Amino acid sequence: MPKVSERGQLQTQSPIRSLVPFADQAKADGVEILHLNIGQPDILTPTTALNRIKNLEEDIIKYGPSAGIPSLRKKVAEYYNEINISITPEQVYVTTGASEAIQFALFSCFDPGDEIIIPEPFYANYLGYAQISQVNIIPITSEFDKQFALPAPERFSSLINENTKAIFLCNPGNPTGQLYTREELDALVEVVKKNDLYLIVDEVYREFCYDSEFTSVLQFDEISENVIVIDSISKVFSSCGARVGYLITKSEQLRTVIDKYAQLRLCPPALGQIMAEACYTDYRPYINEAKEEYNKRRKVLYNRLSKIEGVKCYYPSAAFYNMAELPIDDATKFCKWMLTDFRHEGKTVMFAPADGFYSNQELGKKQVRIAFILNEEKLEQAMDCLEIALKEYQKIMHQTQPSYSYK
Ligand SMILES: Cc1ncc(COP(=O)(O)O)c(C=O)c1O
């Protein structure tokens, strides 16, 4: 057989999906897996969007414009205008999920060897995208004990050199479930301005802020040419499989380059765009309801987690994630053991080990990311499992001759 590529072998693997074979085996053995490992919401997709697809009138699914269907770009611009962000349809690119928007941003802004500063822990796929675009991520560690607040501007400044081209944020944060405040962003914008950097912000969770108002970087007019926002319908409209996201930029110069990448892949998914457009019909009640549901789940999760002995956690303020530090030796081992060995009333739980969200994996060794994407009853069951599992695991961990083998 011919050899597979070196670079393919070196490509980082998604830490979220690496445990999937063990979950599949457990399912095949009849075990119910409570999936708290992945940001796939169980909230129903808007009925208007589902009906639009069910009653499809199109008789040919055609290629469309590379930047997206004009009527969808208009709807997205209107959505932004309604939240007091002034955007025109020309400034919106429709992409194949936020995932493609991230790739477009990296390819359009950076050359091989350029550096981008990203607070860690960060959404693990940023590493893979940086790798394929040959950009170096310079991590800046945000701390669990400070509830993953945005690191101080001086810490960003101290990492800036002639190769630094951007600061990249995820706000609200995945995996942290935390929101950066207006004041934190104000201070960072000064650093961006002073060093004329790009400021790329992944805002796919912007609609799920429970305690305070969200600030988009598109609101900072003084750096409008430097800003790129990444957005998506995956989470807001519970439409992960539609594969529709957006890249928003006010920079005309940048758009001439993005156009080329957009044309290269012809167009974003036609069906997804049709669906996405229907999502914007009377959408506010839908979003409010989804947000209220996540808020309830956030409370259930925190109430349970904070009572489990040895577990360190905090009350997340946004998105649908919570990081927790567990009284264990290694989160990957623990998560795998949950899938291969632990059962409670025919169930187990799948978490995402947090080491994959850090460039220095030691930092996340005892941490897991918990996505509160199941209903309250299921979350309670998952926390029952966790509580019992931790006791069992600790017994095994403390045996002098461990009777378990992982990895
Ligand atoms: C922060 C963040 N950005 C981007 C994505 C990818 O989104 P999409 O499904 O729109 O490609 C995810 C998915 O979980 C995410 O959490």
Side-chain angles (χ1 to χ4, degrees):
M1 193 201 136
K3 261 178 60 188
V4 297
S5 72
E6 196 86 10
R7 66 177 163 187
Q9 292 180 69
L10 291 173
Q11 185 66 35
T12 51
Q13 202 193 358
S14 162
I16 303 163
R17 291 177 184 260
S18 61
L19 295 172
V20 168
F22 304 106
D24 287 345
Q25 184 56 53
K27 274 182 217 163
D29 296 341
V31 179
E32 183 186 348
I33 312 275
L34 299 165
H35 280 278
L36 302 185
N37 58 305
I38 193 160
Q40 166 61 67
D42 67 342
I43 305 268
L44 298 183
T45 304
T47 316
T48 47
L50 294 175
N51 286 343
R52 179 68 180 84
I53 292 295
K54 280 179 197 155
N55 304 321
L56 206 62
E57 289 150 9
E58 287 73 3
D59 41 22
I60 305 177
I61 304 300
K62 295 181 187 158
Y63 288 130
S66 300
I69 300 172
S71 48
L72 173 59
R73 296 172 79 193
K74 185 164 172 276
K75 285 254 161 73
V76 177
E78 283 165 7
Y79 158 85
Y80 276 96
N81 297 340
E82 271 171 39
I83 52 173
N84 294 325
I85 296 172
S86 147
I87 287 293
T88 64
E90 297 69 43
Q91 294 165 343
V92 176
Y93 282 86
V94 185
T95 53
T96 309
S99 303
E100 190 181 56
I102 295 166
Q103 292 177 50
F104 281 5
L106 298 186
F107 279 123
S108 305
C109 299
F110 311 120
D111 287 310
D114 284 348
E115 295 182 357
I116 55 178
I117 303 174
I118 309 189
E120 68 175 357
F122 53 72
Y123 174 54
N125 283 354
Y126 296 156
L127 260 187
Y129 296 131
Q131 208 175 354
I132 58 175
S133 48
Q134 296 173 278
V135 169
N136 298 326
I137 289 184
I138 307 299
I140 182 163
T141 306
S142 62
E143 292 158 49
F144 195 108
D145 290 339
K146 293 184 179 158
Q147 306 196 343
F148 298 112
L150 189 65
E154 305 79 58
R155 290 186 60 205
F156 284 90
S157 297
S158 73
L159 294 173
I160 293 173
N161 61 50
E162 78 266 18
N163 295 321
T164 312
K165 297 289 154 53
I167 292 173
F168 193 124
L169 306 177
C170 183
N171 187 38
N174 173 8
T176 64
Q178 293 295 60
L179 177 69
Y180 297 141
T181 63
R182 171 89 205 193
E183 292 69 38
E184 285 173 321
L185 291 172
D186 273 337
L188 199 64
V189 163
E190 289 308 311
V191 178
V192 168
K193 236 183 343 190
K194 184 168 166 219
N195 297 282
D196 199 19
L197 302 174
Y198 281 112
L199 178 58
I200 304 174
V201 186
D202 184 338
E203 298 186 352
V204 302
Y205 296 100
R206 81 147 65 74
E207 287 289 353
F208 305 129
C209 298
Y210 309 109
D211 303 323
S212 42
E213 219 165 273
F214 173 69
T215 303
S216 169
V217 281
L218 290 167
Q219 287 162 318
F220 292 94
D221 288 336
E222 68 270 38
I223 53 159
S224 64
E225 292 283 309
N226 306 48
V227 164
I228 294 179
V229 159
I230 309 291
D231 204 348
S232 172
I233 66 162
S234 288
K235 316 293 166 166
V236 177
F237 293 116
S238 203
S239 299
C240 297
R243 308 309 303 128
V244 171
Y246 311 113
L247 182 152
I248 320 280
T249 176
K250 293 187 179 178
S251 162
E252 224 170 285
Q253 206 188 346
L254 197 55
R255 293 208 297 274
T256 61
V257 178
I258 296 170
D259 278 336
K260 295 187 207 171
Y261 289 112
Q263 286 161 14
L264 194 60
R265 60 76 162 110
L266 306 182
C267 67
L271 289 179
Q273 291 184 90
I274 291 169
M275 233 194 88
E277 199 176 330
C279 285
Y280 292 96
T281 316
D282 191 24
Y283 56 89
R284 200 38 71 186
Y286 173 88
I287 294 178
N288 288 345
E289 214 177 293
K291 180 173 152 183
E292 194 37 50
E293 178 60 27
Y294 290 130
N295 194 12
K296 281 195 236 156
R297 296 173 182 190
R298 169 176 80 129
K299 287 176 189 157
V300 169
L301 182 66
Y302 178 74
N303 281 341
R304 289 296 302 270
L305 265 184
S306 56
K307 289 190 187 113
I308 301 177
E309 206 183 324
V311 171
K312 223 164 97 176
C313 64
Y314 55 89
Y315 199 33
S317 57
F320 39 66
Y321 301 106
N322 202 351
M323 292 275 275
E325 199 165 287
L326 306 181
I328 51 173
D329 52 348
D330 181 317
T332 303
K333 285 182 189 174
F334 175 72
C335 292
K336 187 178 165 199
W337 174 84
M338 289 288 288
L339 296 171
T340 53
D341 289 52
F342 178 79
R343 311 290 178 245
H344 172 61
E345 295 177 351
K347 300 182 181 64
T348 192
V349 190
M350 190 165 177
F351 299 108
D355 53 1
F357 299 111
Y358 288 91
S359 57
N360 174 359
Q361 302 206 335
E362 277 302 303
L363 292 173
K365 204 168 170 200
K366 296 184 177 184
Q367 297 170 12
V368 291
R369 185 195 69 177
I370 307 175
F372 40 100
I373 40 76
L374 297 182
N375 65 35
E376 290 169 81
E377 190 190 343
K378 294 277 177 204
L379 272 181
E380 292 279 5
Q381 291 171 0
M383 290 302 104
D384 289 344
C385 284
L386 177 64
E387 201 163 357
I388 298 165
L390 282 173
K391 285 190 187 131
E392 279 187 25
Y393 187 81
Q394 280 169 336
K395 274 191 222 146
I396 302 169
M397 217 169 67
H398 293 125
Q399 280 169 3
T400 41
Q401 293 248 295
S403 64
Y404 61 101
S405 62
Y406 304 109
K407 288 195 171 167

